[in-house]
Amino acid sequence: MPKLSVVVPFYNVLTYAPDALRSLEANARDDFEFLLVDDCSTDGTGELLERAARTLPGAVHLRHGRNAGLATARNTGLDAARGEYLAFLDGDDWLAPGHLARVLAAIEALACDFVRTDHVRCTGRERSVQRVPYGPQSVVADPRTAILPADRATSVDYPYAWAGMYHRRLLDRGVLRFTDGLRTAEDRPWIWRLHREADSFAAVGTPGVFYRRGVSTSLTQIGDERQLDFIRAFDQVLSDTASDRESDRLTPKAVRTYCAIIAHHFGSIERYEPAVARKLRIMGAAALDRMPQDVLDHVLDTMDLERSTLLRRVRRGRGPLGRRGPLGPLGRRGLRAPSGASA
């Protein structure tokens, strides 16, 4: 049984995959396995992974016969994983040498269900350390305590699966699986379930994952219909939260975060294809209508004026580029939704 399984999905990232593979080699140990999942790439990534499976210690090459999206690719890796602990990496990112061993040592010493780590965000040549939005370091706590407050960025607003490590018992309980078919925001229902259903966690710093932003093949840079899966993802967050034993406490946080993400997408609606933009306006208004209206009213009353104004117009069916035309600067500037996306 390997000590650690690392799930690494790849899809058409031939330019960046060599960096990811070299970083895995700089983290390899005899008791580590690397599950390289090719999500039916068409640019030569698959052939690169075939060669890596022969030369990279612990590498296993898995291939989809059709493109299924990041969530399903991660599940394919999880299904094949044999390790006592699990971690993730995306095929266009990379790791610092020895990062996995350091995080493994931390989670074993703390004996908790999972740990969350800081990471380095890379935009072109710029580098910035992004911290887990949770104060205590290397202190084991109940993950539920890191969901609230509703009006601040918390651990559920830091959804990156690769920013952490997880004990296998979470996989065996079904907590680590992603919603099959989600093409974006797949980590949002996942991070909420992780914090609701795991028993213990800790934040440990250790910023050894280098997260590449602005990649042209990333869905965050593409304005097609796949982006709209964020609505299905957050509908799942709301549905799961509604059935939780603490739904009254947690629902305002889920609604506020959902609203912040809707505002972000409407704030940059000009990057969408026209047909997708029209669909976004319809689906965004319908999503607001599905939310608990008393909670939504409170959220809109307490959000900043810019986002609350935008969301009220979306709610009335008069959002950016709607029946009454552009919403001035709100429809052009691109409201930013940082990982917190809730304050």
Side-chain angles (χ1 to χ4, degrees):
M1 183 179 187
K3 177 63 72 171
L4 175 68
S5 297
V6 185
V7 176
V8 194
F10 296 81
Y11 177 64
N12 286 354
V13 288
L14 186 61
T15 301
Y16 308 109
D19 290 341
L21 294 170
R22 281 191 293 268
S23 77
L24 291 175
E25 186 171 11
N27 277 267
R29 277 185 8 184
D30 290 344
D31 54 352
F32 288 2
E33 67 173 0
F34 303 122
L35 302 161
L36 313 178
V37 185
D38 175 23
D39 192 22
C40 200
S41 297
T42 59
D43 67 343
T45 298
E47 291 76 7
L48 177 66
L49 298 182
E50 285 182 9
R51 294 194 296 273
R54 296 192 293 268
T55 59
L56 174 62
V60 178
H61 182 208
L62 307 169
R63 189 178 190 279
H64 285 169
R66 63 176 182 83
N67 179 252
L70 180 58
T72 301
R74 284 176 174 165
N75 286 341
T76 295
L78 290 173
D79 289 342
R82 299 176 298 133
E84 181 182 357
Y85 293 92
L86 297 109
F88 300 92
L89 181 69
D90 285 351
D92 51 7
D93 300 331
W94 75 96
L95 302 171
H99 171 71
L100 294 175
R102 288 189 291 273
V103 180
L104 177 62
I107 192 172
E108 288 193 301
L110 293 165
C112 54
D113 283 345
F114 69 97
V115 295
R116 300 294 282 158
T117 67
D118 302 337
H119 71 275
V120 180
R121 183 165 63 190
C122 307
T123 306
R125 294 186 178 182
E126 294 183 7
R127 303 287 187 268
S128 61
V129 176
Q130 306 296 304
R131 304 290 185 186
V132 180
Y134 182 76
Q137 293 286 297
S138 299
V139 176
V140 177
D142 180 348
R144 283 178 170 264
T145 65
I147 297 176
L148 300 176
D151 60 350
R152 286 213 319 261
T154 68
S155 195
V156 292
D157 301 310
Y158 187 81
Y160 316 110
W162 36 257
M165 194 170 287
Y166 315 90
H167 195 281
R168 185 178 188 86
R169 56 181 168 262
L170 295 177
L171 178 61
D172 294 340
R173 288 165 47 190
V175 177
L176 287 187
R177 290 188 62 82
F178 295 82
T179 302
D180 273 317
L182 276 181
R183 296 164 294 179
T184 190
E186 76 293 327
D187 45 12
R188 296 293 185 154
W190 179 87
I191 194 70
W192 274 80
R193 183 172 62 251
L194 185 66
H195 278 270
R196 287 195 322 268
E197 298 186 16
D199 296 320
S200 58
F201 94 114
V204 296
T206 320
V209 179
F210 291 81
Y211 168 45
R212 206 187 300 265
R213 293 272 292 179
V215 175
S216 60
T217 56
S218 170
L219 277 182
T220 61
Q221 304 297 308
I222 298 172
D224 67 18
E225 192 167 346
R226 290 173 292 177
Q227 277 284 341
L228 301 185
D229 273 10
F230 84 89
I231 291 178
R232 185 157 67 99
F234 274 96
D235 279 351
Q236 183 181 341
V237 171
L238 282 185
S239 176
D240 292 346
T241 304
S243 62
D244 188 86
R245 67 178 187 269
E246 295 184 292
S247 61
D248 289 346
R249 292 182 63 241
L250 301 182
T251 296
K253 173 67 174 178
V255 169
R256 191 179 185 95
T257 306
Y258 198 170
C259 284
I261 298 298
I262 291 173
H264 166 67
H265 282 271
F266 272 89
S268 56
I269 198 169
E270 72 284 347
R271 69 187 174 88
Y272 284 96
E273 300 166 359
V276 179
R278 287 192 294 272
K279 193 169 184 178
L280 171 61
R281 291 193 291 274
I282 295 168
M283 294 178 68
L288 292 171
D289 189 54
R290 287 192 298 273
M291 296 178 190
Q293 295 301 292
D294 57 336
V295 178
L296 176 59
D297 288 338
H298 177 73
V299 166
L300 296 181
D301 286 343
T302 55
M303 287 185 94
D304 59 89
L305 179 62
E306 190 175 24
R307 288 188 294 182
S308 64
T309 300
L310 172 58
L311 290 166
R312 290 181 199 278
R313 297 199 67 173
V314 173
R315 193 182 190 185
R316 296 195 299 268
R318 289 179 281 189
L321 306 180
R323 291 197 302 269
R324 304 179 97 184
L327 189 60
L330 290 174
R332 295 192 301 268
R333 186 181 338 181
L335 296 174
R336 297 184 65 190
S339 59
S342 61

